[in-house]
Amino acid sequence: MTHATLERGINALREQIDAPVAAFFNSCVNCGICAEACLFYTESGNPVYTPIHKLEPMRRLWEQEYTLVGRIRKMLGLSKAITDEELREWEELVYDGCSLCGRCSMVCPVGNDITYMLRKMREGMAASGNAPEGLIGATTRAVKLGSPMGVKVVALQAQAKHVKNDTGLEIPFDKEGADYMVLLSSMEIINYPEYLAAIARILDQAGKSWTVSTEAFEATNAGIQIGVSDIARELVSRVVAAAEKLKVKTIVSPECGHAYTAIRWEGPNLIGRPFAFKVRHIVEVLDELRKEGLLKTEGLEEDHLTFHDPCQLVRRGGVVDQPRNLLKMVSQNFSEMEDCGQMNWCCGAGGGVSANERADELRSKAFLRKKSQLDKLNVDTIVTACANCRIQLEEGLEEHEMEIPVVGLTEMIADHLVVKEQSEGGT
Amino acid sequence: MSKDDSLVDVLQRSGVSRRGFLKFCALTASAMALSPAMVPRIAAALEQARRPSVIWMSFQECTGCTESLTRSHSATIENLIFNAISLDYHHTLQAASGEAAEAAREAAMEENWGKYLLVVDGSIPVGNPGFSTIAGISNKDMLLETARGAAAIVAVGTCSAYGGLPHAAPNPTGAVSVADLVTDKPIVNVPGCPPIPVVISGVLTHYLTFGEIPELDELGRPMAFYGQNIHDRCYRRPFYERGQFAETFDDEGAKKGWCLFKLGCKGPVTYNACATVKWNQGTSFPIESGHGCLGCSEPDFWDMGGFYEALSTPLPGFNEAIAYGTAAGAVAGLASGVLASRVKKRAKDQHQTVSVDDLEKGESS
Amino acid sequence: MKTECGSSCSTARFEVDSPSTMTGNGIALLYEITHALERYAESGEATAIDLQRVPLSDQESDWMAGMLGKGEINATLHSMGRTTIEETGTSGVWRIAHYDESEVLLGAFIEVTNCPELLCTPAEDIREGAERLKRRLKEISEEVKQ
């Protein structure tokens, strides 16, 4: 068994420095505008959370090894080498103080994708053994047990039985040639089993065939969060193998942010070839069904609603209009949050922060940003499309004794489905 | 005003007496940088002068040249001259637009074929004609077509005279000057970014007065205005002679108004009338405001090294050292690029697959 | 030859005492004027110098004015704005400054002559004056007859 070492970490960073990274470091004008875009900075007031500063060790390595001036400075002893202590110090900034939300990349005046670099920075951190214990645990469980929360297939099958009792609908496991292969996040299986029931009812009404693979049902990808492409690749490969084995047309990513980024955007790059199937977020699928006239709802929510945009959907994925199209079908009193859409503030728990117990305090501080947005709205219910956001919102609201329920968009749509009149009209 | 009115008619109608006309002639001579001894000749010529038709075309430009000419604070000699010409087409200033504007241009060309004066500001893109078009006509086509019937062409501003900013490396639009495209007409270059207003009007007046273009230097500029360099006419020149230089923009020397040569002033290689004619109704010129000359009336002034780098330093052989240094730097830069790709290749080769068992910390090997 | 400008651009004007403010052009100009005077005395050939062609510092302009001195004649022409025509204390040397309607200095000249042309009445104006006066007298005599 090998171990994480500084050498492996530095080598990983070297590998990660590609043309965009070099161009970004070269273009940075140290303006600090990214700080104001980062909720870990705005809520803590601590400048160490300035996004570009979180990349300092990587920037120095780039300067020392990829630029002439840096080489000379290093030779003259003007630029010090990266040490293990330094990386350990940075661990808190790179993991606890960053949810990979992508807001900094949106505001950079020279167009640097800082989030892209932070994702890469984590490769070096993990390879050098400077990743948080909580994330290491989650990653180990994901690889060894198939789920970061240790959810095994029997637990899923138990939930499927509940769904059948409640709705009368069978969860189709391992069905070949289905239109959709539905992935789930462990959080949905344990915390929000309503999601599975909602999917079953919606797809049944739309008349689409679908399946869940018992070999690869987990959508989340701890490898992406901790920043180890080798592990991320292994986890993605499991899903790809299952999808190809079952010959499905589309993989449906669940109400989870990073899972969507992992499978849709990083996935093909990780395995080094294009997918033979499509990948869609559940919200995209629902909107497609709506367009085809296959999604029929009735009744409108009485409550005053708002929608929390998950970062990975709006900023990294461009899914902005779809949830709003769907909400229009079922709401009559809807208010947008300040900064909604592409510039919406992160809940504070993404990018592996929620799996890292050490970050709990900082995470609840980061929630204050969301709280101040919500304070201005005075809504009865918050709708979102990411189970991780949902947990963070619920926990945060509870902490501040705000009694606002948080609902998944898919469940809300399912609640308004037009009831089938098959038993009366048929036979 | 009819086209057949002479300039004197125009002036007399606006209540100008014979002494006033003489004053006008003296100032015109001054504006044309001609000797006051020429005043009687100017007076005689102006009595005969007819209002010429002027077509003004703007290509890849910033309108700074037109601004320079039209933003005078009070009624000055330039305004009088503008009253005396028939500006038939100037798409920034004219009220007409679209087809009506083009129709005006075509009418003016037809009516005054072979006699009109063509004024151009802005460079012409030849890299891709689509980079700049007017009414669907590419700048190049419009210039060549309008130039055919012109008596002479005045290229106003460094862009039309030498390519200017659009022509600066890497010249993405393939910008060229008027003289690069038109070779069979007399062309007067009036460079500057922008040119001094009275220099523009002085050239127009010269043509108006004598019906011919003024004497030009080897870069096509009127000798009267561009015959001497800024440095020779600069009031700070005596400090240069005494070796009194400002070293920074806020040192004692700068406060005492010493020479700005070491702060990158391009006065010694720049031929223009700024130091004598000055700007803003004779208020001052850049060096008088404490900043070195940028050399804006010279070809390729954007690419002449940094605005704040001295033309040379007193150390003999220093320039050669820089040249060698630059060459060495280029080689080193190239080597650096090769090294960088090697670093990455080696890192890839040394990659050890990370599994979940490798995430815990171990001793460095 | 100085026009007023805002405080923003006046800060860089150099404020060192003579002689470092001298460009040296003032002296040269005075020699040129001397030669012009001699030439006029000999052959009657007048000379005009455009002061805008010669860079002078403000202090130097004042110094030159002092050297030439103040003379007896000071006239103002009102046409297209003001023009001042004054003989300096050095006889035969005239200073002429043209302003526009808004009192902005448009140009300044030194003329070496016994009388600047601007002071002399144009011949056409004399003829027109005579015509006009004759006409006026005729009108009056007709009024008297009635």
Side-chain angles (χ1 to χ4, degrees), chain A residues 24 55 102 104-106 108 111-118 316:
Chain A
F24 295 159
L55 296 162
C104 48
S105 300
M106 301 294 285
C108 178
N112 288 350
D113 190 349
I114 301 167
T115 315
Y116 170 88
M117 294 197 278
L118 259 153
R316 308 304 279 182

Side-chain angles (χ1 to χ4, degrees), chain B residues 69-120:
Chain B
L69 190 55
T70 55
R71 284 286 165 121
S72 305
H73 296 293
S74 53
T76 55
I77 190 91
E78 292 94 290
N79 300 47
L80 285 172
I81 287 161
F82 263 82
N83 288 336
I85 63 171
S86 169
L87 191 54
D88 291 320
Y89 179 87
H90 186 309
H91 41 243
T92 311
L93 301 179
Q94 69 197 8
S97 64
E99 285 173 9
E102 295 315 305
R105 179 175 63 91
E106 280 159 22
M109 281 168 62
E110 201 176 320
E111 202 179 314
N112 303 291
W113 190 258
K115 286 182 288 185
Y116 58 81
L117 190 63
L118 173 60
V119 182
V120 178

Side-chain angles (χ1 to χ4, degrees), chain A residues 219-247:
Chain A
T220 62
N221 192 321
I224 297 281
Q225 297 182 321
I226 199 167
V228 178
S229 288
D230 292 329
I231 294 173
R233 184 178 306 112
E234 185 179 338
L235 295 174
V236 165
S237 301
R238 289 177 190 176
V239 175
V240 173
E244 284 175 350
K245 186 173 155 197
L246 295 175
K247 301 186 187 67

Side-chain angles (χ1 to χ4, degrees), chain A residues 1-5 7-8 11 14-15 17 65-66 68 71 84 128 133 136 143-144 228 230-231, chain B residues 332 336 339-340 343-344 347-348 350-365:
Chain A
M1 184 165 127
T2 54
H3 282 293
T5 60
E7 287 77 12
R8 289 183 72 170
N11 198 60
R14 253 182 224 132
E15 256 187 287
I17 296 173
E65 305 206 355
Y66 291 84
L68 183 66
R71 277 163 197 279
D84 226 3
S128 64
E133 277 308 310
I136 293 178
V143 172
K144 294 197 169 160
V228 178
D230 292 329
I231 294 173
Chain B
S336 178
L339 278 171
V343 171
K344 195 162 161 68
K348 268 219 155 73
Q350 285 173 359
H351 179 85
Q352 288 175 271
T353 303
V354 180
S355 78
V356 284
D357 299 324
D358 301 328
L359 295 172
E360 295 291 348
K361 193 116 192 115
E363 292 306 309
S364 287
S365 51

Side-chain angles (χ1 to χ4, degrees), chain B residues 225-246:
Chain B
F225 298 105
Y226 299 89
Q228 272 164 323
N229 69 36
I230 301 283
H231 190 54
D232 287 345
R233 288 291 183 181
C234 178
Y235 75 97
R236 295 198 190 207
R237 176 68 190 260
F239 299 108
Y240 174 87
E241 303 297 348
R242 284 181 226 126
Q244 292 173 312
F245 297 103

Side-chain angles (χ1 to χ4, degrees), chain A residues 109-347:
Chain A
V110 295
N112 288 350
D113 190 349
I114 301 167
T115 315
Y116 170 88
M117 294 197 278
L118 259 153
R119 160 70 183 82
K120 286 172 163 283
M121 172 85 183
R122 288 187 179 185
E123 294 275 340
M125 299 299 286
S128 64
N130 292 299
E133 277 308 310
L135 261 181
I136 293 178
T139 310
T140 310
R141 284 188 296 277
V143 172
K144 294 197 169 160
L145 304 172
S147 144
M149 291 167 79
V151 178
K152 293 181 185 165
V153 73
V154 284
L156 174 63
Q157 281 159 340
Q159 290 291 8
K161 209 168 281 171
H162 287 304
V163 172
K164 189 172 182 198
N165 290 342
D166 293 347
T167 64
L169 295 170
E170 190 89 41
I171 303 296
F173 283 109
D174 300 324
K175 200 170 108 189
E176 243 183 71
D179 293 329
Y180 298 110
M181 181 173 111
V182 170
L183 300 177
L184 299 157
S185 69
S186 296
M187 290 167 287
E188 281 160 333
I189 300 167
I190 301 298
N191 301 38
Y192 308 118
E194 315 86 276
Y195 175 76
L196 189 58
I199 288 270
R201 292 174 57 207
I202 292 169
L203 291 178
D204 176 60
Q205 196 207 44
K208 295 282 184 185
S209 64
W210 64 291
T211 186
V212 177
S213 165
T214 52
E215 284 167 24
F217 59 84
E218 179 62 57
T220 62
N221 192 321
I224 297 281
Q225 297 182 321
I226 199 167
V228 178
S229 288
D230 292 329
I231 294 173
R233 184 178 306 112
E234 185 179 338
L235 295 174
V236 165
S237 301
R238 289 177 190 176
V239 175
V240 173
E244 284 175 350
K245 186 173 155 197
L246 295 175
K247 301 186 187 67
V248 294
K249 294 193 189 78
T250 302
I251 286 184
V252 182
S253 181
E255 287 197 353
C256 174
H258 88 271
Y260 178 62
T261 295
I263 185 78
R264 179 148 194 195
W265 310 122
E266 291 220 19
N269 291 315
L270 286 167
I271 66 167
R273 64 179 167 87
F275 291 160
F277 44 83
K278 284 193 233 168
V279 177
R280 291 290 178 271
H281 190 269
I282 180 64
V283 170
E284 291 179 288
V285 172
L286 295 182
D287 195 46
E288 278 166 18
L289 294 177
R290 178 193 64 81
K291 259 190 249 167
E292 290 169 41
L294 298 172
L295 192 63
K296 293 193 183 68
T297 61
E298 59 185 2
L300 300 172
E301 288 286 320
E302 298 283 317
D303 283 359
H304 181 200
L305 306 178
T306 190
F307 184 70
H308 163 74
D309 284 294
C311 307
Q312 301 297 326
L313 287 195
V314 283
R315 267 193 290 283
R316 308 304 279 182
V319 181
V320 181
D321 296 334
Q322 293 90 333
R324 287 165 176 81
N325 294 339
L326 295 166
L327 277 163
K328 251 182 227 156
M329 298 174 76
V330 297
S331 66
Q332 55 190 342
N333 187 6
F334 176 79
S335 298
E336 287 283 15
M337 230 178 259
E338 206 175 49
D339 297 322
C340 65
Q342 277 195 339
M343 287 308 283
N344 193 30
W345 288 93
C346 175
C347 65

Side-chain angles (χ1 to χ4, degrees), chain B residues 247-314:
Chain B
E247 304 281 342
T248 65
F249 281 108
D250 57 354
D251 68 359
E252 264 320 290
K255 284 172 193 155
K256 285 184 174 162
W258 288 355
C259 179
L260 299 168
F261 180 84
K262 288 190 178 176
L263 289 170
C265 183
K266 304 291 181 286
V269 294
T270 304
Y271 289 77
N272 205 338
C274 302
T276 47
V277 175
K278 301 193 180 175
W279 287 83
N280 300 319
Q281 271 77 41
T283 302
S284 67
F285 71 112
I287 296 169
E288 202 169 347
S289 314
H291 193 286
C293 167
L294 302 181
C296 74
S297 58
E298 296 298 317
D300 298 326
F301 78 99
W302 289 99
D303 299 322
M304 285 202 297
F307 286 159
Y308 301 98
E309 271 156 41
L311 282 166
S312 65
T313 60

Side-chain angles (χ1 to χ4, degrees), chain B:
Chain B
M1 269 185 272
S2 128
K3 285 236 159 83
D4 297 324
D5 282 349
S6 78
L7 183 60
V8 174
D9 295 335
V10 174
L11 288 174
Q12 274 179 347
R13 218 167 303 131
S14 33
V16 176
S17 68
R18 291 205 168 80
R19 280 204 186 87
F21 179 61
L22 212 57
K23 173 175 174 175
F24 177 81
C25 292
L27 290 170
T28 303
S30 178
M32 285 191 280
L34 293 174
S35 155
M38 292 287 284
V39 171
R41 238 194 96 189
I42 292 168
L46 281 179
E47 276 167 14
Q48 302 300 316
R50 292 283 170 276
R51 303 174 68 221
S53 167
V54 173
I55 293 177
W56 185 308
M57 298 202 297
S58 301
F59 298 136
Q60 291 192 131
E61 48 87 44
C62 67
T63 312
C65 295
T66 299
E67 285 282 314
S68 174
L69 190 55
T70 55
R71 284 286 165 121
S72 305
H73 296 293
S74 53
T76 55
I77 190 91
E78 292 94 290
N79 300 47
L80 285 172
I81 287 161
F82 263 82
N83 288 336
I85 63 171
S86 169
L87 191 54
D88 291 320
Y89 179 87
H90 186 309
H91 41 243
T92 311
L93 301 179
Q94 69 197 8
S97 64
E99 285 173 9
E102 295 315 305
R105 179 175 63 91
E106 280 159 22
M109 281 168 62
E110 201 176 320
E111 202 179 314
N112 303 291
W113 190 258
K115 286 182 288 185
Y116 58 81
L117 190 63
L118 173 60
V119 182
V120 178
D121 64 336
S123 65
I124 303 100
V126 294
N128 175 346
F131 284 143
S132 179
T133 62
I134 296 156
I137 307 166
S138 76
N139 289 171
K140 185 182 171 186
D141 291 347
M142 188 178 272
L143 172 66
L144 294 180
E145 185 197 333
T146 317
R148 275 200 301 132
I153 303 174
V154 182
V156 167
T158 306
C159 294
S160 60
Y162 308 125
L165 175 60
H167 183 265
N171 190 1
T173 63
V176 298
S177 69
V178 171
D180 285 335
L181 293 173
V182 180
T183 46
D184 56 351
K185 295 281 172 184
I187 298 173
V188 185
N189 286 333
V190 184
C193 194
I196 304 170
V198 297
V199 175
I200 307 175
S201 55
V203 171
L204 296 182
T205 311
H206 193 285
Y207 181 75
L208 173 71
T209 313
F210 300 115
E212 59 185 26
I213 62 171
E215 188 194 352
L216 306 177
D217 70 3
E218 75 280 8
L219 288 168
R221 303 177 291 199
M223 287 293 279
F225 298 105
Y226 299 89
Q228 272 164 323
N229 69 36
I230 301 283
H231 190 54
D232 287 345
R233 288 291 183 181
C234 178
Y235 75 97
R236 295 198 190 207
R237 176 68 190 260
F239 299 108
Y240 174 87
E241 303 297 348
R242 284 181 226 126
Q244 292 173 312
F245 297 103
E247 304 281 342
T248 65
F249 281 108
D250 57 354
D251 68 359
E252 264 320 290
K255 284 172 193 155
K256 285 184 174 162
W258 288 355
C259 179
L260 299 168
F261 180 84
K262 288 190 178 176
L263 289 170
C265 183
K266 304 291 181 286
V269 294
T270 304
Y271 289 77
N272 205 338
C274 302
T276 47
V277 175
K278 301 193 180 175
W279 287 83
N280 300 319
Q281 271 77 41
T283 302
S284 67
F285 71 112
I287 296 169
E288 202 169 347
S289 314
H291 193 286
C293 167
L294 302 181
C296 74
S297 58
E298 296 298 317
D300 298 326
F301 78 99
W302 289 99
D303 299 322
M304 285 202 297
F307 286 159
Y308 301 98
E309 271 156 41
L311 282 166
S312 65
T313 60
L315 276 176
F318 190 81
N319 279 337
E320 286 85 332
I322 287 195
Y324 288 127
T326 310
V331 171
L334 205 65
S336 178
V338 172
L339 278 171
S341 60
R342 263 196 224 142
V343 171
K344 195 162 161 68
K345 167 99 169 48
R346 195 164 57 231
K348 268 219 155 73
D349 295 343
Q350 285 173 359
H351 179 85
Q352 288 175 271
T353 303
V354 180
S355 78
V356 284
D357 299 324
D358 301 328
L359 295 172
E360 295 291 348
K361 193 116 192 115
E363 292 306 309
S364 287
S365 51

